[in-house]
Amino acid sequence: MSTIKFLLAFVMVSLLAMSSQAQKMQYWPFDKIDSTAFNKINYDANTLENPNSLYPLLAKLYKIKHFSKENAVFVHIGDSHIQADIETSVIRNELQNYFGNAGRGLVFPYQVAKTNAPFDISSSSKSNWKNNRVARIDTLITCGVSAFGIESQSISPEFNIELRSINGYKDYFDKVNLFMGGKVSELLLEYNDSLSENTCYPKSIEFAKFQLKSNTSQFRITFPTTDTIQFYGASLEKSNTSGIIYHSIGANGAKYSDFNKTVRFWKQLNKLKADCYIVSLGTNEAQDPNLTCASFLIDVKIMVDKLRLISPNACIILTTPPVSYYKKQWPNLSLEVIKDALIDYCNQNNIVYWDLFHISKGIEGAKIWKSTQFLRSDLVHFSKEGYTLQGNLFVDAFVKTWNEFLCKNY
């Protein structure tokens, strides 16, 4: 072989090897942490700690990314920070943009329940409904998988749910899973103006699956009955589509103890078939200035044990709560108690954790986030920019773990 042909062959082999390696690794580039945010955060601390237990999830995500038609299901449980769905919508969108969008996930008719809703969900009803959420004491109206519940007060109760257009894009679904209660013997589900699914049941049901005839972004449900009906949520999914389903379950004022005591929540949660639970609670517990590590961890352990019981193969990520103030007077010192307790517990039990409190600079950070108006006037909740930054920080930490997993294994 001549020298020129040898060099050409060498170059071709080298390029093929480089191309193969690049395709093999496929690192996830993520650069959405604005440089102007660096003075508000400890960016170097933005990592998922104890990541080894995530490897089964990451291996499944690798298959989904490259060849598998599976879905990976995330369930994010929290309080008002999660009910707002600003932070979680950022996480959901980024994960689905990279791995595939398998559906919007769990939704609830929040407006019918007279509470704040995620930006992309609209609901209404001409019927009368009573409502409840896990953080309220109401033994008559139970709460379910969405952390909410509504109960009919009218004959043939109905409501509709629609996904709104966000930035010019309206999501869709063709599969609906319903969580209900009461004497549900017949159900009429209408969509796309002229299509419907009308089903009668020989006995009352609490869970129903519907495969729709076409894609849609809205539906209307009617229960033709004089009996009382309860409704707890609907999972909106895409059949024959691989990727991520990201359920966000948040309720204003919620604590670990509120979820722990809600029997129907746990009965229905396993229907979501989670691969990963993310738990973001602690802000409301921190309103107790006498909070101790021991008392707080009792409720944390109960929740973790319940999650492991219903989903033994799912991984769990616990997050420390973000910075906030106590009664609008001073940075909340109880958050340090919660942060220390969660980290010790996770380290002792090899549970993944994300220390948002430390990442957002803790006590010092509370003052910084207040001065930059990333904290709202109540000094507990955040502006859209603040929640968006938190969502991007979580994705950034997840991306680091993902890329490290690729480097070590592929």
Side-chain angles (χ1 to χ4, degrees):
M1 180 182 294
S2 68
T3 303
I4 294 177
K5 288 183 178 180
F6 175 82
L7 290 174
L8 287 174
F10 177 79
V11 170
M12 287 296 292
V13 171
S14 298
L15 288 174
L16 286 172
M18 292 171 62
S19 175
S20 175
Q21 183 70 10
Q23 185 177 11
K24 184 179 179 182
M25 301 304 291
Q26 278 197 331
Y27 290 125
W28 183 354
F30 189 79
D31 57 358
K32 295 193 176 181
I33 308 299
D34 193 306
S35 60
T36 59
F38 285 150
N39 65 337
K40 304 178 184 69
I41 60 175
N42 290 317
Y43 179 73
D44 290 341
N46 189 41
T47 56
L48 297 181
E49 299 298 328
N50 302 329
N52 288 350
S53 61
L54 286 178
Y55 279 16
L57 171 68
L58 299 176
K60 184 174 186 178
L61 290 173
Y62 182 85
K63 291 193 296 181
I64 291 171
K65 180 68 176 174
H66 290 278
F67 57 84
S68 172
K69 299 301 181 183
E70 300 173 272
N71 293 330
V73 180
F74 289 73
V75 178
H76 201 144
I77 301 168
D79 45 35
S80 55
H81 300 307
I82 304 304
Q83 182 176 335
D85 192 50
I86 303 174
E87 174 188 351
T88 42
S89 69
V90 170
I91 302 170
R92 180 188 302 110
N93 291 336
E94 293 297 339
L95 289 177
Q96 291 184 336
N97 286 341
Y98 187 73
F99 293 106
N101 181 348
R104 171 59 175 81
L106 193 65
V107 299
F108 181 79
Y110 294 95
Q111 290 92 343
V112 176
K114 298 179 174 59
T115 188
N116 59 298
F119 289 116
D120 66 331
I121 298 175
S122 173
S123 65
S124 63
S125 176
K126 296 179 181 178
S127 305
N128 294 321
W129 296 86
K130 286 187 177 181
N131 63 82
N132 194 22
R133 67 175 188 271
V134 293
R136 290 199 313 222
I137 299 174
D138 190 332
T139 57
L140 298 179
I141 301 176
T142 60
C143 295
V145 67
S146 65
F148 283 84
I150 54 173
E151 184 175 274
S152 64
Q153 305 294 302
S154 307
I155 296 174
S156 296
E158 54 73 38
F159 64 84
N160 70 277
I161 293 180
E162 181 173 1
L163 297 181
R164 289 176 170 149
S165 177
I166 303 296
N167 297 324
Y169 173 76
K170 179 179 283 193
D171 207 352
Y172 65 90
F173 52 91
D174 66 350
K175 182 180 176 182
V176 181
N177 297 334
L178 301 175
F179 297 88
M180 303 166 291
K183 296 182 179 180
V184 180
S185 57
E186 184 178 359
L187 190 156
L188 174 63
L189 191 151
E190 302 171 281
Y191 57 101
N192 288 352
D193 297 329
S194 60
L195 297 177
S196 65
E197 311 288 338
N198 193 355
T199 306
C200 296
Y201 303 98
K203 62 179 182 179
S204 296
I205 63 164
E206 296 185 351
F207 180 73
K209 295 183 178 182
F210 288 89
Q211 179 62 58
L212 308 185
K213 299 179 182 72
S214 66
N215 295 334
T216 187
S217 297
Q218 58 79 35
F219 64 86
R220 180 174 182 267
I221 292 180
T222 303
F223 301 93
T225 181
T226 58
D227 292 311
T228 300
I229 300 297
Q230 292 90 35
F231 186 80
Y232 305 109
S235 179
L236 311 182
E237 303 173 13
K238 300 176 182 179
S239 59
N240 303 316
T241 303
S242 63
I244 301 294
I245 299 175
Y246 198 99
H247 304 289
S248 57
I249 301 172
N252 296 338
K255 303 174 183 177
Y256 277 93
S257 59
D258 295 320
F259 284 99
N260 291 342
K261 71 185 180 185
T262 305
V263 176
R264 192 176 295 270
F265 171 79
W266 295 102
K267 182 179 179 181
Q268 295 179 341
L269 188 63
N270 67 340
K271 296 287 188 182
L272 298 181
K273 301 185 184 306
D275 294 291
C276 177
Y277 291 104
I278 305 169
V279 183
S280 298
L281 292 162
T283 292
N284 295 300
E285 285 90 339
Q287 293 305 306
D288 178 3
N290 299 314
L291 183 73
T292 65
C293 289
S295 62
F296 174 68
L297 282 181
I298 289 173
D299 291 319
V300 175
K301 291 175 182 177
I302 291 173
M303 175 170 280
V304 170
D305 288 344
K306 286 176 176 287
L307 292 175
R308 285 176 167 166
L309 180 64
I310 65 170
S311 304
N313 296 320
C315 60
I316 300 172
I317 302 174
L318 300 184
T319 83
T320 62
V323 298
S324 65
Y325 275 63
Y326 177 71
K327 293 186 176 180
K328 299 176 68 172
Q329 296 178 354
W330 52 78
N332 195 332
L333 299 179
S334 293
L335 290 169
E336 286 195 314
V337 174
I338 288 174
K339 182 260 295 183
D340 291 340
L342 277 175
I343 290 176
D344 287 345
Y345 175 70
C346 289
N347 286 335
Q348 292 170 16
N349 294 275
N350 194 30
I351 296 174
V352 187
Y353 70 88
W354 182 55
D355 189 1
L356 178 58
F357 182 74
H358 178 54
I359 293 163
S360 47
K361 292 193 172 183
I363 300 302
E364 173 194 0
K367 299 174 183 177
I368 296 172
W369 286 56
K370 176 187 176 183
S371 66
T372 55
Q373 297 184 329
F374 270 31
L375 271 169
R376 290 182 183 169
S377 58
D378 65 6
L379 300 184
V380 173
H381 299 95
F382 295 83
S383 65
K384 181 180 179 181
E385 293 76 16
Y387 281 125
T388 299
L389 174 58
Q390 291 174 19
N392 281 326
L393 282 167
F394 182 87
V395 176
D396 181 84
F398 191 88
V399 168
K400 290 173 183 174
T401 302
W402 167 258
N403 287 339
E404 183 178 355
F405 172 77
L406 289 182
C407 182
K408 289 181 177 179
N409 297 276
Y410 298 97

